[in-house]
Amino acid sequence: LAAGSDGQLKTLITSGPVAYNGVIPPTNLRGHSTISLNAEGESVTLLFKNSKWNIIAGHGYAVA
């Protein structure tokens, strides 16, 4: 996931069975380096602000 523009929102959601660990390495994720979505229906919503992606909502995701 590349850098965005200030105020940009992105919502990522799994829409089918996930047989693997869906690891997303956003550029400039505030406080973490990856987001994992591991099962159907998991989601994360990100807001790009001040050159960083910020997690503002989600369900079932994990960060590292």
Side-chain angles (χ1 to χ4, degrees), residues 15-44:
S15 61
V18 179
Y20 63 90
N21 182 10
V23 177
I24 305 151
T27 300
N28 301 326
L29 180 61
R30 188 174 307 280
H32 304 283
S33 58
T34 61
I35 301 167
S36 297
L37 301 174
N38 299 325
E40 185 174 2
E42 290 185 347
S43 65
V44 65

